[in-house]
Amino acid sequence: MPGNAPPSASTGRCRPPVLITLALVAPLATPLSGCSGRQSALDPAGTEAGAVHDLFFVMLIGGAVIWTLVMALLLYAGRSRPEPVSAKTANRLILWGGVAFPVTVLFLLLAYAVWLMPQVRPWLGAGPTGEPQIEATGEQFWWRLRYLEGPGQPGFETANELRLPVGERTIFALEAADVIHSFWIPTLGGKMDMIPGRTNILSLEPTRTGTFRGPCAEFCGTSHALMAFTVVVMERADYDSWRAAQAAGHPAVPQALQAGRDLFFRHGCAACHAINGTAAIGRVGPDLTRIASRGTLAAGTLSNTPDNLARFIRDPGAVKPGVKMPAYTMLPAAEIDAIAAYLGDLR
Ligand code: CUA
């Protein structure tokens, strides 16, 4: 039957050039698809990420050149029918092609990587360049960010949204409250583990302003994939006014939102959360002082809208499985909405 006829040589087989093209292009498809964006190491916005980016492309291009060379030799060897070579020529081929060439290439790549290292870990060999300015603690499943007191700058705590001045090096003390997490801002640099009982030091120097994303890079439980933070790199003047606003208490609560504030305290939210300038000084959960000014809720999981805030308060576990905050499904919707309205005004 015609339908069962074997495919002809011209339609049923991939010819070698097609296979070679596919083999060349396929490995590039994945990295190219992530070439830009707020979480791409290939779109660097920091000194450290720039060094990693350069190292990656040197390795990639070097690897592609060598791969092409080896494939060309393979094709040549497969197509030509040379006379057998002498033992002396064969030994030379192995010595130069199999020993000297790989050793030289690996040595050059190692030398380049070692030369780059001071840019990736600037304090290596020279000791820390200064005291940590921000303490970042990984918690299941959010980020506690404590801005330490500096000259003329009061300390304060915030959560899940990191702000940094552009063109300046910031030193982080990385810690973990429960299990191992990993702190990574691909566009700026990193990554480094956050280990319980240990303080790791990392420093980053953003080179342009913008909003970026940092994921948790170490499996830490059921909501590991829902543990991210936003990074906003700002001009120094904007950063200073942001810091001053964060550290300041809140002005009086508008009349319309006072019911929500009262419910916040009556239902015990203040036992776990802090709001600067109020009686809420809980340290268990994220600081809520300026929660309305953050771009996301629940560590990068939800966009910051009143509906999402109410949704998270009602049943946090439905948004982030394994989260430690209890559900408040027993509260009337109107009370949750009132609490969300109060929090939604804290900017
Ligand atoms: Cu925290 Cu993964």
Side-chain angles (χ1 to χ4, degrees):
M1 283 167 62
N4 289 340
S8 70
S10 62
T11 56
R13 286 184 192 168
C14 281
R15 286 179 305 185
V18 178
L19 280 175
I20 290 168
T21 310
L22 275 177
L24 273 170
V25 170
L28 293 175
T30 306
L32 286 179
S33 69
C35 265
S36 61
R38 57 202 194 108
Q39 197 187 293
S40 173
L42 299 177
D43 190 10
T47 308
E48 290 73 19
V52 172
H53 170 271
D54 293 349
L55 180 65
F56 171 75
F57 275 102
V58 166
M59 295 275 186
L60 180 74
I61 293 166
V65 168
I66 293 171
W67 184 87
T68 309
L69 201 68
V70 171
M71 286 299 130
L73 284 173
L74 189 71
L75 285 178
Y76 171 74
R79 281 166 181 243
S80 67
R81 295 277 182 274
E83 295 298 308
V85 296
S86 67
K88 195 176 167 191
T89 310
N91 284 341
R92 265 197 202 147
L93 201 63
I94 290 169
L95 183 68
W96 290 105
V99 180
F101 181 70
V103 165
T104 309
V105 168
L106 290 177
F107 175 78
L108 289 177
L109 285 177
L110 177 70
Y112 178 61
V114 169
W115 175 76
L116 270 182
M117 227 182 243
Q119 293 172 54
V120 182
R121 299 278 186 266
W123 59 90
L124 266 188
T129 51
E131 290 300 309
Q133 291 134 298
I134 299 176
E135 242 175 53
T137 307
E139 312 240 2
Q140 281 174 318
F141 301 92
W142 59 283
W143 310 83
R144 185 189 298 277
L145 302 166
R146 189 173 292 134
Y147 284 69
L148 305 173
E149 217 173 290
Q153 289 186 316
F156 60 89
E157 192 173 304
T158 179
N160 302 327
E161 189 168 291
L162 181 67
R163 300 216 177 205
L164 299 172
V166 69
E168 293 176 41
R169 185 162 289 286
T170 300
I171 301 176
F172 298 88
L174 304 180
E175 287 159 18
D178 32 45
V179 298
I180 300 178
H181 305 267
S182 189
F183 183 86
W184 190 27
I185 310 168
T187 47
L188 299 190
K191 69 186 84 146
M192 189 172 274
D193 276 1
M194 304 168 116
I195 301 167
R198 186 189 156 91
T199 301
N200 281 338
I201 302 294
L202 176 77
S203 91
L204 295 172
E205 185 183 49
T207 49
R208 62 179 159 93
T209 56
T211 302
F212 309 105
R213 185 177 188 270
C216 178
E218 181 79 43
F219 181 74
C220 54
T222 40
S223 280
H224 154 71
L226 299 175
M227 180 174 171
F229 59 105
T230 307
V231 185
V232 184
V233 178
M234 319 166 81
E235 296 293 347
R236 182 77 215 188
D238 298 337
Y239 176 73
D240 283 342
S241 40
W242 174 81
R243 275 197 75 137
Q246 288 289 314
H250 277 286
V253 179
Q255 180 80 34
L257 302 175
Q258 285 178 4
R261 177 201 56 193
D262 295 346
L263 288 164
F264 178 88
F265 284 95
R266 193 187 313 153
H267 291 306
C269 308
C272 292
H273 296 282
I275 299 174
N276 259 355
T278 73
I281 52 168
R283 288 275 165 238
V284 179
D287 183 285
L288 302 178
T289 302
R290 305 270 168 188
I291 184 174
S293 70
R294 297 175 198 156
T296 67
L297 296 173
T301 307
L302 299 173
S303 55
N304 195 350
T305 65
D307 283 352
N308 281 339
L309 197 47
R311 177 181 160 202
F312 190 79
I313 296 169
R314 188 173 298 115
D315 193 359
V319 177
K320 290 181 84 164
V323 76
K324 286 176 182 163
M325 178 172 159
Y328 285 85
T329 42
M330 74 299 239
L331 295 186
E335 292 199 1
I336 290 180
D337 289 345
I339 296 173
Y342 163 63
L343 295 176
D345 196 51
L346 300 177
R347 58 186 79 247

